[in-house]
Amino acid sequence: RKEVEQDPGPFNVPEGATVAFNCTYSNSASQSFFWYRQDCRKEPKLLMSVYSSGNEDGRFTAQLNRASQYISLLIRDSKLSDSATYLCVVPGAGNQFYFGTGTSLTVIP
Amino acid sequence: DGGITQSPKYLFRKEGQNVTLSCEQNLNHDAMYWYRQDPGQGLRLIYYSQIVNDFQKGDIAEGYSVSREKKESFPLTVTSAQKNPTAFYLCASSIGADSPLHFGNGTRLTVT
């Protein structure tokens, strides 16, 4: 089983829609979780950090379900500019990080 | 402003040549990382360093070498032994456990 797994999508949603991505992780001892946004041919940029049950920042909400070992990212009122790949990242032992393969989102006018 | 600087942004080399990618950070982070990303693929760890003068191999270290002589700097050398060196290379740093990665803006290497 991979350390971190994501549905690669693609997710194609209309403007204004609400979309949610899930990310499952294998290490039950993980304490922190990160969502990154990566635009085409650019570096990943930190979108949200999750250290407890969840986090909210404007239209973005991340929720952690420790019992089922998954983190979700919810985007409300999708904008065209939200089109990107969203990466789930979980720290592991020895200061290593485990990456999901990313979920591709396209917001359609 | 603090951050991570990778240079150059684009690099072109002939097959058989070694090439060194620069990564400098002024965030005072102990841990630094090199990742490789191929088109449509996820990030794969090449090497990482948790402290000066120490580094460990990642999942795909063959054909690469690194050094960590200063806290701020973690250069990556792509050697002629790397079979498919053309890729997008990302350097990152972290303050430590349970803290996020901060990425440089990447170096796109093309070897022909």
Side-chain angles (χ1 to χ4, degrees), chain B residues 8-27:
Chain B
K9 189 171 182 178
Y10 299 98
L11 191 54
F12 298 89
R13 281 294 183 271
K14 293 290 187 185
E15 196 173 312
Q17 294 179 330
N18 291 356
V19 59
T20 297
L21 282 57
S22 170
C23 178
E24 303 279 331
Q25 55 101 357
N26 60 3
L27 298 166

Side-chain angles (χ1 to χ4, degrees), chain B residues 29-71:
Chain B
H29 287 173
D30 284 315
M32 296 187 74
Y33 306 80
W34 274 104
Y35 295 93
R36 168 183 173 140
Q37 189 173 37
D38 293 283
Q41 304 295 314
L43 276 70
R44 292 185 290 169
L45 180 64
I46 305 172
Y47 268 98
Y48 66 105
S49 168
Q50 299 188 60
I51 199 168
V52 174
N53 292 323
D54 185 46
F55 48 82
Q56 288 79 40
K57 292 181 178 180
D59 301 318
I60 56 165
E62 186 175 348
Y64 299 98
S65 65
V66 293
S67 62
R68 188 85 187 276
E69 297 177 3
K70 299 186 299 182
K71 188 175 187 177

Side-chain angles (χ1 to χ4, degrees), chain A residues 62-103:
Chain A
Q63 290 188 320
L64 171 62
N65 184 317
R66 288 193 185 276
S68 300
Q69 293 183 214
Y70 75 82
I71 320 109
S72 63
L73 178 67
L74 183 78
I75 305 175
R76 290 181 296 276
D77 188 22
S78 299
K79 311 291 185 192
L80 296 177
S81 58
D82 293 335
S83 297
T85 296
Y86 291 84
L87 299 172
C88 175
V89 182
V90 182
N95 279 346
Q96 288 199 60
F97 290 81
Y98 297 106
F99 289 79
T101 52
T103 298

Side-chain angles (χ1 to χ4, degrees), chain B residues 61-99:
Chain B
E62 186 175 348
Y64 299 98
S65 65
V66 293
S67 62
R68 188 85 187 276
E69 297 177 3
K70 299 186 299 182
K71 188 175 187 177
E72 302 80 16
S73 180
F74 191 41
L76 173 74
T77 296
V78 185
T79 75
S80 56
Q82 169 49 234
K83 300 301 180 191
N84 297 296
T86 295
F88 186 42
Y89 290 87
L90 287 158
C91 180
S93 71
S94 173
I95 199 168
D98 294 328
S99 296

